[in-house]
Amino acid sequence: MAYRLEMRDMTKKYGDFIANDKVSFSLAAGEVHAIVGENGAGKTTLMRMLYGMEQPTSGDIVLGDKKVTFRGPEDAIRSGIGMVHQHFMLFGEFTAAENIVIGYEPKQTGFFKRKEAVEKVRALSEQYRIPIDAQAQVSSCSIGEQQRVEILKVLYQGADIIVLDEPTAVLTPLEVRELLQTIRNLAQSGKSVILITHKLQEVMEVADRITVLRGGKVTGTVSREETNVDDLARLMVGRELQELSERVSLDRGPLLQVENLTVRDKQTLLDHVTFTVHHGEIVGIAGVSGNGQSELLQALSGLRTAQEGSLRLGGKDVTNQPVATIRDAGLAHIPEDRYMWGTAKLESVEENALMGYQRKPEYYRRGIVKREAFRQVVRGWVERFAIKTGSRQLQELAGNLSGGNLQKLIVARELGQETPFLIAAEPTRGVDIGAMEYIHQALIEKRNQGDGILLVSSELSEILALSDRILVMYKGKIAGELARSEATEEKISVLMAGGSVHGSSQRAR
């Protein structure tokens, strides 16, 4: 079979560390080929070599029947390869059309032909059935719309091979479905798509072939028809996945009490939200992004002021109290955005792990942090959560860690606080299936110890798997509540869209 692209025995070494060990990969015209593997398996390194961002230690890249060498992304782009990165590279103050044509703008006598750019982008949007508003300012676009801009940008540059790096990590369920349809449309039009992901259900929906990496090596390449999610998981982690622990029946009274919580900022963002989280309970919150979940978490954790209502944690009134006061009352917080709220990218792994521990007496005395004692704790987290920290280990800058490894560091740090109440917002965003299993298990164990957890996730499967009760938010309100026994993805989706479901209460207890 003639392939559009082959990567033959690709090896990449960083000193003694081998990121890719003789990895071979092929891609046909009109094919969707998924590359899956745990965090640190070597997926991103392989694609960085393909895109000219890294130079291989050894191995060959073959386009058609010709060996090629890419000294940078510009070489890859000229050869028909485009890459949509996990973290978008867009200018928020520019329009969608301006972002798409940047660097390849239609000009006349040195002047940008804006109208022609808009027309070209609209034509491209129609050709590939990727709907966008060409004249919308990107900063006002949803994450899903921004991703479409990125895809159209590489198509405008003439890409026949499109690399999508963890494309569904920050999308809503509806946006995920739309993206998967876009991928199908691209393949049907003759484009070749490389899908980098750890979401196996999505892989089984859209990929023609799947290559699995573990520890920098290929553990298998299979067609979709000859595999399933369980087989892929075994290839990824090298073992059978475990069932979650049984839930212990607990009823120890209320832990978090939210009454008529209202937040306004020019408009009402939270509208008289009332609910309770009990000891020994996981309460899940579902909803399309932008319906008040972020504002709720910020108000609960002291990052945003509420205009009405009250918050009680462990019987203590913490309404509009400072962050430190609320944390001292018994709150730990896995934030929804690991970069904006969860880490300082320019500080070390050690400094980021220390956040929230610097005043604890076991690690602090007379103005001095007991560094070595704390390092032992962090090393334990690194081992248990399989956090790959790079060659500098605890002194590696947090910004140099992959998104999944950074997420695991934050989860380890917040679980390590051992507080009675935990906000877990998108706790497994960007992590691999093995780490997801460990995090889910840790949350169930925390619940079984009598602690309370408020779980916010865009992954409905995660909400359904972990929650004892599920609240759905719509336009800043609790649109409905479902018991674990009655909750289904279909019912949740109806409530997320503003509909009603028979049997769901409109007010959370």
Side-chain angles (χ1 to χ4, degrees), residues 293-339:
Q293 303 96 308
S294 296
E295 290 77 15
L296 174 61
L297 299 182
Q298 291 163 18
L300 293 179
S301 56
L303 295 169
R304 185 183 282 269
T305 300
Q307 279 69 52
E308 294 181 41
S310 65
L311 301 173
R312 298 187 70 82
L313 180 57
K316 181 179 180 180
D317 188 346
V318 293
T319 311
N320 292 333
Q321 292 297 305
V323 172
T325 301
I326 298 175
R327 289 185 75 98
D328 287 344
L331 178 141
H333 183 193
I334 300 168
E336 59 183 331
D337 188 325
R338 54 179 166 254
Y339 295 106

Side-chain angles (χ1 to χ4, degrees), residues 73-90:
E74 298 82 6
D75 291 347
I77 292 168
R78 280 194 292 269
S79 297
I81 299 172
M83 187 168 180
V84 177
H85 299 270
Q86 184 175 355
H87 305 291
F88 304 149
M89 298 182 180
L90 300 172

